Amino acid sequence: MFFDPNHQPFPSERLTIGAANGVVATGNALASQAGLDTLKRGGNAVDAAIATAACLTVVEPTANGIGGDNFALVWMKGELYGMNSNGPSPQAISLDEVRKHHSAMPSQGWIPVNVPGAPQGWVSLSRRFGRLSLAECLQPAIEYARNGFPVAALTSKLWSRAVDKYSETWQGKPEFEEWFATFTINGRAPQPFEIMRLPHHARTLELIGNTMGEAFYQGELADRIEQDAIAHGGYLRKSDLAAFQSQWVTPLKTSYRGLEVVELPPSGQGIVALMALNIFKHREVTERSADYYHTMFEAMKMAFADGMHHVTDPAHMAVDPAALLAESYGRKRFDQISGQAELHSPDDPFAGGTVYLACADKDGNMVSMIQSNYMGFGSGIVVKDTGIALHNRGADFKLDETHINCLAPGKKTYHTIIPGMLLRDGACCGVFGVMGAYMQPQGHFQVVSNLADFHLNPQMALDAPRWQWIREKTFLVEEGFDPKIIRELEARGHEIKIEPDRTHFGRGQVILKLDNGVYAAGTESRTDSNLAVY
């Protein structure tokens, strides 16, 4: 290749795109096109979301897989629905057993593997809302897996990083052999635009589609997962898979500048974004000043402090989530913000891999959906001859029995992936998301402020320079941040680091519905994102 597809020495400008009949926005052009083709074949926004999500497990395996989790907010025929499809820890795992060999939950191997929820999420959405069959929705992903697809530029870069990292830590370990067999070409990552084939993925997706997920949770694929787990000392069993069902839940909301911002309830961290907005809305915003960013920084740290202390499997939570979103509590937290940077949480919100997608159809139905294997490729476990890359979501469990998110059998952990939605006067007026582990609530906070405080169009709301809290008083900011504001923030005690690698700041999509029914959409400039419209 005579050029570097990831070298961009000049500013690149994207414009907000309009569409009357349908929009699919995600981080990969092939997946977006798969979703749009599904709309054109008569599918609705949910069918398009399923097709896009399945396609992403093939064309962007660096961030999600068949063995991951997913969550969705759905606006269908004037009604709001929420779906959590994240699995619990295996029934056979125990705190005492893990602590025999580990002082903290490992992030690779079989131990952090919870029940995968993604395939059941597709099934649940299809059963409740789909016009097309699940098999039809999965067909584009099957074709890309079997026939091959050109690997996108940034995906190739992240794939290469993973191969370099895993070659140092996983090479020669039996449980990771299938990962190298599945995701490398003679031991290396695929180059940008090189054709990659994933034939095992194709067969697995066919089995899922043809059996409405039964093969994965009760049949042949469940048997294979259990066999691999037993062979390598894992705890996941077919009985864990068979017992799993997605949950239909009541979304949480908070008001912000005339909008209702909607997130899913715990064990996801959507409530962290809502808490930050509920604190910050008590500040009047007129400009992007140091005071604006200082208040955002402190509100975000407070929200994480509360979220990391309280959020876990809702069956184990000691606090009603509604109490954390009370107007009076938001005001109380806002009044605690001083003029200087303060410590609010000792935790470390950094690193991860996720895909986000937004879909809208000609009937006004909209879907905000997110899917992840958590840390890049996840646990590093790929079930033999299936292409099922298992997530490592259990890595967020604590091994301290006094912690609310302590490991226990059949328990769901604090979960990072969160889709977002906007309502105005009780009706959906937009869907949005920013992926990237603990960057996600921070990205939601910033995008909503860009839309509601500064009335930016969807593309500019995404392109605005971002920040990320890392730990204590340390924040990363993008290179486009105003140097004068950085100096003023440092004078207030914030530790600011300029980060040139934009992949640290999440990847998002926004679709807004205008008063005339037309959609206006923006897509992430920090990745291989693409809008497909008609």
Side-chain angles (χ1 to χ4, degrees), residues 134-421:
L134 180 61
E136 289 176 288
C137 292
L138 301 191
Q139 193 56 41
I142 293 166
E143 291 177 1
Y144 280 130
R146 179 168 291 136
N147 300 327
F149 61 94
V151 176
L154 184 61
T155 300
S156 171
K157 182 178 181 179
L158 297 176
W159 207 319
S160 183
R161 285 182 186 175
V163 171
D164 290 345
K165 176 183 176 181
Y166 301 158
S167 293
E168 294 178 3
T169 57
W170 295 355
Q171 199 83 49
K173 296 182 179 180
E175 64 267 38
F176 301 118
E177 288 178 359
E178 190 69 10
W179 186 89
F180 288 98
T182 301
F183 290 118
T184 67
I185 302 171
N186 298 322
R188 63 170 177 82
Q191 298 299 305
F193 314 130
E194 184 174 3
I195 298 297
M196 185 72 181
R197 293 178 176 83
L198 298 169
H200 294 318
H201 283 63
R203 184 172 183 275
T204 290
L205 290 167
E206 279 184 332
L207 285 170
I208 292 170
N210 292 338
T211 66
M212 285 297 284
E214 286 190 12
F216 190 95
Y217 291 95
Q218 301 177 42
E220 175 186 334
L221 298 172
D223 289 333
R224 287 174 174 264
I225 292 170
E226 180 175 83
Q227 289 164 8
D228 262 25
I230 292 171
H232 298 293
Y235 297 100
L236 191 61
R237 297 293 183 265
K238 185 177 181 180
S239 56
D240 296 311
L241 298 165
F244 177 71
Q245 292 292 326
S246 306
Q247 290 182 304
W248 294 102
V249 297
T250 301
L252 300 175
K253 305 172 189 174
T254 197
S255 60
Y256 189 82
R257 320 290 198 217
L259 296 170
E260 282 187 293
V261 185
V262 183
E263 302 275 357
L264 290 168
S267 61
Q269 64 175 347
I271 192 172
V272 173
L274 296 182
M275 285 191 288
L277 289 164
N278 196 40
I279 296 167
F280 185 71
K281 70 184 179 184
H282 296 285
R283 173 187 164 73
E284 183 178 345
V285 175
T286 57
E287 61 178 342
R288 291 182 187 275
S289 63
D291 199 45
Y292 165 78
Y293 285 110
H294 169 73
T295 309
M296 289 192 95
F297 286 5
E298 297 303 291
M300 193 75 256
K301 289 189 290 183
M302 286 178 167
F304 267 122
D306 288 339
M308 290 181 172
H309 183 71
H310 294 294
V311 172
T312 186
D313 186 326
H316 294 260
M317 282 185 66
V319 173
D320 182 353
L324 298 171
L325 297 175
E327 292 281 327
S328 58
Y329 186 64
R331 180 74 211 193
K332 177 183 177 182
R333 287 299 247 164
F334 175 77
D335 289 341
Q336 293 170 357
I337 296 175
S338 71
Q340 292 294 309
E342 297 183 31
L343 296 179
H344 300 288
S345 172
D347 292 278
D348 184 2
F350 197 58
T354 303
V355 296
Y356 173 78
L357 59 107
C359 299
D361 65 28
K362 61 183 176 59
D363 298 316
N365 303 312
M366 303 181 78
V367 178
S368 180
M369 187 171 179
I370 199 157
Q371 189 166 271
S372 178
N373 265 15
Y374 193 21
M375 299 176 185
F377 281 91
S379 64
I381 301 298
V382 178
V383 180
K384 188 170 178 57
D385 297 334
T386 67
I388 299 171
L390 294 168
H391 63 172
N392 60 338
R393 187 57 59 179
D396 270 356
F397 279 123
K398 307 300 182 186
L399 299 186
D400 174 2
E401 63 270 15
T402 66
H403 197 285
I404 192 71
N405 199 44
C406 181
L407 175 66
K411 183 178 179 180
K412 295 183 179 182
T413 184
Y414 181 108
H415 214 294
T416 59
I417 66 175
I418 52 173
M421 184 177 283

Side-chain angles (χ1 to χ4, degrees), residues 122-145:
W122 304 337
V123 171
S124 297
L125 289 168
S126 181
R127 279 191 175 136
R128 187 159 192 173
F129 302 115
R131 284 184 190 160
L132 305 181
S133 70
L134 180 61
E136 289 176 288
C137 292
L138 301 191
Q139 193 56 41
I142 293 166
E143 291 177 1
Y144 280 130

